[in-house]
Amino acid sequence: MAKYVYFFGEGKAEGNGGMKDVLGGKGAGLAEMTNAALPVPPGFTISTETCREYYRAGNRVPAEVETQMQQALKQLQRASGQQLGDAANPLLVSVRSGAKFSMPGMMDTILNLGLNDKTVEGLARRTQNPRFAYDSYRRLIQMFGSVVLEIPKSEFEKVFDGKKHQRKVRLDTDLTAADLQQVIAGYKKVVKQHSKHDFPQDALEQLTMARDAVFRSWFNDRAHHYRRMNNISDDLGTAVNVQAMVFGNLGDTSGTGVGFTRNPATGDKVFYGEFLMNAQGEDVVAGIRTPLPIAELHKVMPEVFVQLRDITTRLEQHYRDMQDFEFTIQEGRLYMLQTRNGKRTGRAALRVATDMVHEGLIKKEEALFRVDANQVYELLFPRFDPKKLNALEPLATGLPASPGAAVGQVVFTAEQAVAWTHANKGPVLLVRAETTPEDIRGMEVAAGILTSRGGMTSHAAVVTRGMGKCCVAGASAITVDEHAKMLRAGGQRFGEGDWISIDGSTGAIYAGQVPTIPADPNDPLLKSFMAWAEPYRKLGVRANADVPRDARAARSFGAEGIGLCRTEHMFFGEGKIEHMRAMILAEGEKQRRAALKKLLPLQRKDFAGIFDAMDGFPVTIRTLDPPLHEFLPPREELMLDLERLRAASGPAKRKATTAIRAKYADYAITDAAGLEKLLGRVQELHEVNPMLGLRGCRLGILYPEITEMQVRAIFEAAVQVAKKGKTVKPEIMIPLVATPKEFALQAAIVHQVAAEVLGEAKLKISYMVGTMIELPRAALVAGEIAKEAQFFSFGTNDLTQTTFGFSRDDIGKILPVYLAQGVLKQDPFASIDQTGVGQLVQMATASGRASRADLKVGICGEHGGDPASVGFFHRTGLNYVSCSPYRVLTARLAAAQAGAAEASGGEAGRTA
Amino acid sequence: MAKYVYFFGEGKAEGNGGMKDVLGGKGAGLAEMTNAALPVPPGFTISTETCREYYRAGNRVPAEVETQMQQALKQLQRASGQQLGDAANPLLVSVRSGAKFSMPGMMDTILNLGLNDKTVEGLARRTQNPRFAYDSYRRLIQMFGSVVLEIPKSEFEKVFDGKKHQRKVRLDTDLTAADLQQVIAGYKKVVKQHSKHDFPQDALEQLTMARDAVFRSWFNDRAHHYRRMNNISDDLGTAVNVQAMVFGNLGDTSGTGVGFTRNPATGDKVFYGEFLMNAQGEDVVAGIRTPLPIAELHKVMPEVFVQLRDITTRLEQHYRDMQDFEFTIQEGRLYMLQTRNGKRTGRAALRVATDMVHEGLIKKEEALFRVDANQVYELLFPRFDPKKLNALEPLATGLPASPGAAVGQVVFTAEQAVAWTHANKGPVLLVRAETTPEDIRGMEVAAGILTSRGGMTSHAAVVTRGMGKCCVAGASAITVDEHAKMLRAGGQRFGEGDWISIDGSTGAIYAGQVPTIPADPNDPLLKSFMAWAEPYRKLGVRANADVPRDARAARSFGAEGIGLCRTEHMFFGEGKIEHMRAMILAEGEKQRRAALKKLLPLQRKDFAGIFDAMDGFPVTIRTLDPPLHEFLPPREELMLDLERLRAASGPAKRKATTAIRAKYADYAITDAAGLEKLLGRVQELHEVNPMLGLRGCRLGILYPEITEMQVRAIFEAAVQVAKKGKTVKPEIMIPLVATPKEFALQAAIVHQVAAEVLGEAKLKISYMVGTMIELPRAALVAGEIAKEAQFFSFGTNDLTQTTFGFSRDDIGKILPVYLAQGVLKQDPFASIDQTGVGQLVQMATASGRASRADLKVGICGEHGGDPASVGFFHRTGLNYVSCSPYRVLTARLAAAQAGAAEASGGEAGRTA
């Protein structure tokens, strides 16, 4: 018979720490701590399989679960010496979710379960604290009402606030036991009114209902969204932990706290955390009262502090990783409620991993996996320019909850953050009194988060650290009026859209836009860590860079070449775009060639700069790729301007003409006829689906003179730099090839022009000509293409677009629904679709190498900087990935992890 | 050592008729006729391999070719008893192209080669006809000058016309020998002036230069274009035939002619052709003089006529097919110059194939291949309504050169025909005095061709028959003034853009637009032929039909079901589009459902009509596919209208408002605010790449209520028709699926709604749910999709778009260049790209069937009506193809040919 329920308590658990799949993270942790003889309140865990059965059976648990739960309950009653529903000595339990992977605050929890009109009296008598008993009971009704019965929280708040108002008190604690009894009566009315039933007095019924509500909460919106963001499968399900309650709010010898064995923001080896006396756990996490630093506990209860330090140190040794723990002190006695590997910032991850190697706790190859490759990226976030900061006075200072520097426009709601971001209004800073799980979408898009309440372990702090996003929390000196949309700080007022800057490393808040400077890639900690990683890396890492500045940055991060230099970006500069436009507007080849002649020296200079920066490393240069209309004004704008100019008469006409002349000065347009001609050309170039239109090598085949000019510029630059004694390795890459012949036509131009230029210069420079594989057809005929092409570089952005039939520009409306419905597990433009697009990558690599054994194969799409994708490319046997310069370290670490995983027989970055 | 040159003459040839690959069609025919002891002037053929070597070596023939040619020339001189360049008895030769596949008039020919200032005198003496000799010499210089030296023809015409003008004569033949000597002097000056060299007097030099010019002509524009149109590979190359000249212009006992063993327009078994006495072959083909029917030859030279009949009958028996032959009579003696299988119209192909089976000449399975499957389509062309014709007097009557009825607007140049077609000005008729190979692009786009000169074998007649396009040729009663753009016919004048109608079956020309009626699919000849074909066909043939009328037409052509019913077309009708728009403009699901409710009965009615028409045959219905903005006004137009309305003031404002109200009456828009709201929604729906946007199943997943409505309409209609006692087989098809989950989500809706509707009706109707495979990813994960989907239908239009990254709407600019440069062998939207797109079709079929053995697999893109593609789908093992109703017969025949080819171990429709 299947085992669904696992008891823990009395120094022994049916489960253990290795059973996260079955018990969830929390349940496994409780079992493990119980087995380690730590002071854990007894309880039982209902397995994740039960959750899956619950959904399979149409929201019902198997009958067997009820039976096993009854047995476990009996054990629990024995262990606690209390009976559920017993009027004299009632057992109270908490009911909490706990999935395999931590999803903080995403699912539901119910505390104080087991209280009813009778047991509350028993509790009052036993604790000799009627106020505590009634408060616990009203909390139960409120949580049960909102979580299990889905009654809006505000309904309960109305009753509670009404009572406070009536009693003219400010603090919750100012309400007396009698007041709370009246609140309870009010709450019960709310329950009856909304659910058409009385609040259940039967404790077992409460337990059953609460258990099922936790199962249901697995699919609530927040949880679903969180899993999507964190690539957690919907199929896992959550376990339910039922545990005897201990109370941190039984008076001044009770308390509760959370902590970390090391600082989760910096990684420093200090005991770190917060506590509140006479409080329940939710008071700490919710950030409603600002808690005390954990060091203060030493003063308040020295023995308990020493016991806690001892226990948590043992836990860290046991788990061989930094622990994030929760505890409660009930009337002087310490209970451990939870422990798990703590979330941490990138810097902290690096520090902890490095320190633990030095402490002999873990090995170097283990340390590699203690830093998420994406977190290395976070280390490269800009920080405020210290010189500028010297001259600035912070408006206020909050807690440095998640490091980095953020500059943005103030918004007061998550919805606003999302709306402004979608409208491309520039970066926003989400400013809230405190954040809740409902705010998660807004937090995701914001440049940073600022809260006026809550501590280092408040929702805002925990979530932003997970995101690697800058956060200043609990800045109590500021006031946030979300209703009036007003932030008051340092005597100034900031409305929606006003700019502020926050420093997540110091907690400082500044008015306006403070200049930032990039991070230091030569950080010694980072350097030593990367040095451990390097031997495991097989995959080369290059960077995508279009200008010498980016090329130099890429080198500084350890890029081994340029994998993609997009030549079109070079045309947008001052003094260039006008020649580009003249080329596009040319009537016939002759005019076009004249314009190209003017572009030649400008391109040559750009290429020379890049060759110079990449001395000795290969530089892959892609010939012109985008459709030509991208260089001209938008069609709709021209149509409207022409209409306006024509419709105007008299003085309005003169004014309109002046405006048009100014606006189109680059095109030397003076009247409607000129505007019409320009519009005519734009109309000619207009395409219904530009992504599938006249671009890439198609341009070079229709206008070979463009390719000729670009290749000449490349080789003239190569000659220039080579003559200075530097090594130059040009790799010319032909984009958007679908057939071997397209490649052959363009490659012929490359070879011819190269021979001309090198012949004139009497110089030998070895170079390669290759192609992007970015269309399904190219992948399908890769074997033929490789007969001519010396290298492949997968353009996985375009390949994703055509393989899925998704336009990157238009997927915005579809993607959220597809993620929510589980059609897609992740954005295929962020992490490569290994099943579909990846299949083409594998096929093309295999057939390309079958034609040409030494074919060099790389990838230069966005996926080159995504750790999971890098793992896939490693397994596919590519030679290198190329990513944006700031992603180079991430790619290097991900590649090393893939290599190390392979060496140990596992793998990294595999997705469903 | 490779053999490059093949001699034929003196009753024996080194080659034979089976060597078309090596000798080209003409060379093989000459060898075969020589071997059959037919009177063929001796000569030699330089192989197609020489042409390929010529291009490989950078336009040079291998030295060995020169040696072998010298030897063959010696043999030729011996056989003819004449010496090249001999002043007394000069050997004159023709130099002609001849590729494996006939390309009439596309490449170059030079006649009378061997004449120079000395040999012309010898020829004059030997023939005792100085005028003939000088005329031959001036023709040589003219042809050599234009073909080999690339001097514009007009330069020679100027000299010639100048002489006629000076001599005040009308006909070429009115010029005397002395006049022609002056023309020759003038021609030589033209040559010197343009080529900087004298006209070569050395006969061997003439021969070498002419040979190379023919090789070069393989890649001239016309030939290239012709190959593209006819799917002939650029790699084949042409052979060169050098043959002793015989002269049809040596006086009244000489003549020349061309003919067919049967009528190439109707297939009737009559000796058919034309001849001209005292003329050279080019005079017949060029259509400059109107020749006499071949029956007249019986009167002029009875013995020659009998000999010709005898020879051509033997040729037909020998080749077992209708022959197209050329002959020359030199001073009473008959020479056969060429024979080949004759091109014919669809009707003639059918008739000849059927008759030859009845005559016992060929077997039924051979007959199948004598009709090009595309030609069956031609038989379905409309003809003029005979009732209407009774009341009409033709303006004039020409030769019925290529059957069918054409109605169009008069244009006088090929360029104009192309321009009007590109500008979508409606059908055009190309009206010319005579056509030349330069006109081919214009002929391709015209609805029909009308010429005032030339016979049944003129350029216009031959080319249009090949194209299956209506042509009336040699209508000498009309005058065509191409310069003044004026057609005079029957006393009326027609300028550019005026409508006329021509009947290619009778030769009649009518003013205006004569009504046409569709062809008779019950033609008994066609019926019996198709009955022979049917047993060989394995592939099912269905039709794409959206309305009951098309469904009935499809049935009449033998369609075995509907393979694609596009539901969106149903929304465009009166009384429907407004509800569709209301659905799109709805604010929220509730409003959308209300609009959908109104669409439901309308869709149900449409589906009922189709089920009714297809009684018993399956009907595949695709759920809504196109992006919603297709149902709303264009964005740019709304922007301009809004701008106009806003800019106007005073009375203009009122006028503008009235105009807007009228234009947007469907949307009940009365002012700028309303217009702005509509524009707002259109902007929301706007997509950068609509082809890759929110369409197909993506719509159904974002708005499940749309799918629900459509499925309800389908099943309610099915119930309606089933209750009338008819069999209904609905197959619901989900478009644009990329992942198994998308299919599963939509299929769940289908099953749920079907269960509801059938449950209410207490009826069992079996149905299937399947998907289109039209995205590369769907093909890549087809094995997974087939676990849920009961059938696949390849949407090869979209699959071609995404596999190539080509937008069908935008390929227009790219395709001509790609075809010209040989990047593509054919338009991949017309005939499936077997290498790339076809690979995905094969993969998906195999992996789909691996998951579900009985998976039904079809294809419903345009390729379903293309014979080569049908052959491919047969070989891939698909269950059926679906094409437009008028293509059903073509698809059926192509499928039968594929089946017959497979049965005999060959294959049909394979392309490179």
Side-chain angles (χ1 to χ4, degrees), chain A residues 684 742 777 813 818 833, chain B residues 684 742 777 805 813 818 833:
Chain A
E684 267 175 47
E742 288 169 305
R777 195 178 192 282
K813 263 173 273 178
Y818 267 38
D833 159 43
Chain B
E684 266 175 48
E742 287 168 307
R777 195 179 191 283
K813 262 173 272 177
Y818 267 38
D833 160 43

Side-chain angles (χ1 to χ4, degrees), chain A residues 635-637 639-640 643-644 647 683-695 697-699 701-702 704 736 738-739 741-742 745 775-781 801-811 813-814 817-818 821-824 833 835-837 839-840 843, chain B residues 635-637 639-640 643-644 647 683-695 697-699 701-702 704 736 738-739 741-742 745 775-781 801-811 813-814 817-818 821-824 833 835-837 839-840 843:
Chain A
R635 182 166 149 264
E636 294 81 359
E637 212 171 304
M639 289 168 80
L640 285 176
E643 176 61 30
R644 276 180 201 125
Q683 293 274 32
E684 267 175 47
L685 291 173
H686 175 68
E687 291 176 319
V688 181
N689 297 290
M691 187 53 65
L692 308 174
L694 181 50
R695 45 176 291 246
C697 70
R698 299 167 191 176
L699 281 172
I701 290 170
L702 264 67
L736 212 71
T739 65
K741 180 83 179 199
E742 288 169 305
L745 286 171
L775 292 171
R777 195 178 192 282
L780 292 165
V781 301
Q801 293 198 93
T802 43
T803 303
F804 269 102
F806 273 145
S807 161
R808 214 179 162 170
D809 296 316
D810 303 312
I811 201 179
K813 263 173 273 178
I814 301 164
V817 179
Y818 267 38
Q821 300 258 349
V823 172
L824 296 173
D833 159 43
T835 315
V837 179
Q839 199 179 135
L840 287 175
M843 282 171 58
Chain B
R635 181 167 150 264
E636 295 81 359
E637 212 170 303
M639 289 168 79
L640 286 175
E643 175 62 29
R644 276 181 203 125
Q683 293 275 32
E684 266 175 48
L685 292 171
H686 176 69
E687 291 176 319
V688 181
N689 297 289
M691 186 55 64
L692 308 175
L694 181 50
R695 44 175 293 247
C697 69
R698 298 166 192 177
L699 282 173
I701 290 170
L702 264 68
L736 213 71
T739 64
K741 180 85 179 199
E742 287 168 307
L745 286 171
L775 292 172
R777 195 179 191 283
L780 293 165
V781 301
Q801 294 198 95
T802 42
T803 304
F804 268 101
F806 274 143
S807 161
R808 215 179 163 170
D809 295 316
D810 302 312
I811 200 179
K813 262 173 272 177
I814 301 164
V817 179
Y818 267 38
Q821 301 256 351
V823 172
L824 296 173
D833 160 43
T835 315
V837 180
Q839 200 180 133
L840 287 176
M843 282 170 58

Side-chain angles (χ1 to χ4, degrees), chain B residues 126-356:
Chain B
R126 196 178 71 78
T127 60
Q128 306 238 330
N129 188 343
R131 195 198 168 283
F132 160 70
Y134 294 123
D135 191 41
S136 299
Y137 192 22
R138 74 94 192 161
R139 284 173 191 255
L140 169 65
I141 302 173
Q142 185 169 343
M143 269 193 267
F144 194 94
S146 78
V147 169
V148 181
L149 306 174
E150 296 175 8
I151 299 166
K153 276 182 189 160
S154 57
E155 294 294 304
F156 296 105
E157 280 162 11
K158 258 190 260 168
V159 172
F160 196 74
D161 292 346
K163 178 52 71 183
K164 277 162 75 179
H165 187 254
Q166 183 206 357
R167 300 280 293 133
K168 299 194 173 64
V169 299
R170 203 176 60 84
L171 295 175
D172 296 2
T173 46
D174 292 338
L175 291 178
T176 64
D179 293 336
L180 290 169
Q181 279 179 298
Q182 286 165 7
V183 168
I184 287 164
Y187 275 11
K188 286 204 225 161
K189 269 190 210 149
V190 168
V191 167
K192 175 82 184 186
Q193 193 184 334
H194 279 266
S195 71
K196 314 290 173 218
H197 291 283
D198 287 318
F199 174 77
Q201 292 293 319
D202 179 59
L204 194 59
E205 191 185 345
Q206 287 177 7
L207 180 57
T208 311
M209 288 174 77
R211 177 196 66 200
D212 292 353
V214 172
F215 284 146
R216 281 200 301 279
S217 73
W218 175 252
F219 272 111
N220 74 33
D221 280 354
R222 279 178 287 135
H224 203 174
H225 185 70
Y226 184 91
R227 286 199 293 277
R228 179 159 70 67
M229 267 187 59
N230 292 278
N231 281 332
I232 299 173
S233 164
D234 278 348
D235 301 336
L236 295 175
T238 183
V240 175
N241 297 291
V242 177
Q243 191 176 20
M245 287 289 298
V246 287
F247 293 98
N249 54 352
L250 285 187
D252 292 342
T253 59
S254 298
T256 189
V258 297
F260 292 87
T261 54
R262 306 188 186 216
N263 183 323
T266 64
D268 290 344
K269 197 178 179 186
V270 293
F271 194 53
Y272 187 88
E274 297 156 326
F275 74 102
L276 276 171
M277 294 309 286
N278 198 15
Q280 274 192 301
E282 53 168 347
D283 299 328
V284 182
V285 176
I288 292 166
R289 283 162 61 192
T290 300
L292 299 172
I294 206 157
E296 302 281 316
L297 184 61
H298 188 51
K299 297 180 198 156
V300 183
M301 304 188 87
E303 299 85 7
V304 170
F305 180 78
V306 170
Q307 189 193 358
L308 182 64
R309 282 240 49 178
D310 176 54
I311 287 171
T312 56
T313 304
R314 274 165 56 206
L315 284 170
E316 189 180 274
Q317 296 283 332
H318 181 78
Y319 285 107
R320 304 170 65 243
D321 200 357
M322 180 185 92
Q323 293 301 296
D324 166 1
F325 55 85
E326 291 179 22
F327 63 94
T328 283
I329 308 161
Q330 180 172 298
E331 294 169 328
R333 189 169 165 199
L334 175 68
Y335 289 97
M336 296 305 294
L337 300 186
Q338 174 160 305
T339 192
R340 57 186 172 192
N341 292 342
K343 287 191 185 295
R344 65 207 76 175
T345 64
R347 171 150 296 276
L350 205 58
R351 165 65 63 202
V352 170
T354 305
D355 285 353
M356 284 186 172

Side-chain angles (χ1 to χ4, degrees), chain A residues 395 410 412 485-500 510-512:
Chain A
L395 295 166
V410 171
F412 293 93
K485 297 195 173 180
M486 188 57 62
L487 160 69
R488 290 189 188 78
Q492 298 183 39
R493 295 154 66 103
F494 301 86
E496 193 176 85
D498 289 336
W499 289 87
I500 62 167
Y510 303 94

